[in-house]
Amino acid sequence: MEANVEKKPIVFSAVQPSGLPTIGNYIGALKNWVNMQDEFDCIYAVADLHAITVRQEPAKLRANSMQMMALLLACGIDPDKCVLFMQSHVSAHSELAWLLNTITYIGELSRMTQFKDKSRKHESNINVGLLDYPVLMAADILLYQAEYIPVGKDQTQHLELARDLAERFNNAYSPTFTVPKGYIPKTGGRIMSLQDPMHKMSKSDDANAFIGMLDTPDEIARKIKRAVTDSVGVINYCPEQPGVSNLLDIYAAFGDETPEQAAAAFEGKGYGELKAALTERLVEVLTPIRENCTRYMGDKAYLQSVMKKGEDAAAAMAYRTLAKVRRKMGFI
Ligand code: TRP
């Protein structure tokens, strides 16, 4: 990062390397990461330590972590503008998580909606990490004195815990952590499933229900063609037409316009035309991302150098905070 006289607010966010993101993850998070790079001092991590709260095959975790790095670069995350690193490369994350564990109550962790959901889904592996995951996330955020955290709805409870822990520590010892705030991006809403527009698009659904960030033009065309619409036959942006409205949302988000503008542009046209235009737009945006991602994946040395640079920058900030915490807690 260049030396800057005027300090910009610090933003922290992270994404788990759990397989390829969908266009829903892109619109809901990654595209905003790219857009925030100029206005803020951004620190972005691939949260590999978070990924192991569900059992991972080591070779797969390695491949997914590399691929996520490559994808972030391909989407436009610029390692010269922000700090981009692999969470596990900075051991301060694990260490601060342990220290914060001692000021966190089991009750507040076991009440987390995501913990309850995941315990139900992974009944045979309700490990301590699954419960402790929000504390690690708080450590991620607090190490960098981050002011703004762009998070989706599913993470607001975890961000709330990070705020509580920051305040609890500051009160118990002395002011140490910046108390982070959620950041609601100006653009980018929720993208819904192509097969069931009442539910969020998810990569764990049937392949026809989502578009992956590396889907080929043929796959994109086929999935959009099969996307659920309705029998109204008129293009409106309204809750009564969730399928059509979702297609308008995607079309608008990929073209930096509002869904209302998109709806106006398709007035009097048929669903076929909307689907064709949407396919064309998705292919136009996703093709260079797919090609760049493939190129980065083929250049492991470059990926390693990006990660090393990110690690060095992140570690310098993180260990400064960790040293303060250790001192204040009484370690000699
Ligand atoms: N838990 C987040 C997710 O699954 C990823 C994450 C880890 C994160 N640490 C974070 C997000 C810190 C924001 C801030 O989406």
Side-chain angles (χ1 to χ4, degrees), residues 21-27 30-31 71 74-75 194 201 210-221 223-224 250 254 278-294:
T22 69
I23 57 167
N25 305 122
Y26 177 68
I27 294 305
L30 304 184
K31 188 162 183 259
L71 183 68
C75 287
L194 298 176
M201 182 178 280
F210 68 87
I211 291 175
M213 286 302 288
L214 299 184
D215 279 2
T216 62
D218 283 351
E219 288 170 314
I220 296 170
K223 291 180 188 182
I224 294 296
I250 302 172
F254 273 81
L278 174 58
T279 300
E280 194 180 323
R281 191 171 267 192
L282 283 169
V283 168
E284 196 179 301
V285 177
L286 294 179
T287 298
I289 293 179
R290 192 181 69 252
E291 288 173 353
N292 284 329
C293 187
T294 308

Side-chain angles (χ1 to χ4, degrees), residues 12-16 18 33 45-47 50 87 93 114 118 133 136-141 149-152 154-155 158-159:
F12 183 95
S13 199
V15 60
Q16 290 195 47
S18 47
W33 285 21
V46 173
H50 275 89
Q87 183 189 28
H93 292 255
Q114 201 179 69
K118 286 201 178 176
Y133 163 119
L136 179 60
M137 187 164 151
D140 296 342
I141 294 168
I149 315 298
V151 286
D154 60 334
Q155 298 292 330
H158 297 165
L159 178 61

Side-chain angles (χ1 to χ4, degrees), residues 73-93:
L73 295 169
C75 287
I77 300 295
D78 181 349
D80 289 326
K81 281 190 193 162
C82 64
V83 175
L84 175 63
F85 72 108
M86 194 63 65
Q87 183 189 28
S88 66
H89 291 180
V90 179
S91 62
H93 292 255

